[in-house]
Amino acid sequence: VELSCIIKSTVTPDPRIEWKKIRNGETSYVFFENKMQGDFATRAEILSRTSLVIKNTTRMDTATYRCEVAAPSDTKTIDEINIQLTVQ
């Protein structure tokens, strides 16, 4: 599955991008400090700097995924988007 976090424009040369997984009220890192975290390290990757690709998804991956972008040189310095993923 591919989850996309589209950045329309930024003047910050290298904005910080993080992905988090929110499930049952608990938040965990998926992509943090430019690397995959936990079990995502062996089955997920970042494409084009912003899209999260999760391979071999299972029902345990059903959650809300949050993409957070920090661009300190921009007028809007931080933004986020939540994507609900449901694996049948």
Side-chain angles (χ1 to χ4, degrees):
V1 67
E2 182 175 345
L3 306 177
S4 294
C5 180
I6 305 301
I7 300 173
K8 291 183 180 175
S9 66
T10 179
V11 295
T12 301
D14 192 19
R16 189 184 80 233
I17 299 168
E18 296 176 358
W19 281 92
K20 297 176 182 175
K21 176 182 176 181
I22 305 159
R23 181 179 166 97
N24 299 327
E26 292 188 23
T27 302
S28 59
Y29 282 108
V30 175
F31 182 74
F32 180 66
E33 295 183 340
N34 289 319
K35 62 182 177 184
M36 291 302 195
Q37 303 295 315
D39 72 322
F40 290 101
T42 58
R43 61 187 190 94
E45 63 182 327
I46 297 293
L47 292 182
S48 303
R49 291 206 47 224
T50 57
S51 291
L52 172 65
V53 177
I54 305 171
K55 301 170 187 166
N56 303 319
T57 53
T58 68
R59 286 189 295 246
M60 291 300 293
D61 294 314
T62 295
T64 298
Y65 290 82
R66 177 181 295 149
C67 174
E68 296 178 359
V69 179
S73 300
D74 287 58
T75 305
K76 189 171 188 178
T77 57
I78 191 161
D79 204 358
E80 63 184 39
I81 185 172
N82 290 322
I83 301 169
Q84 180 63 46
L85 174 65
T86 302
V87 182
Q88 300 289 328

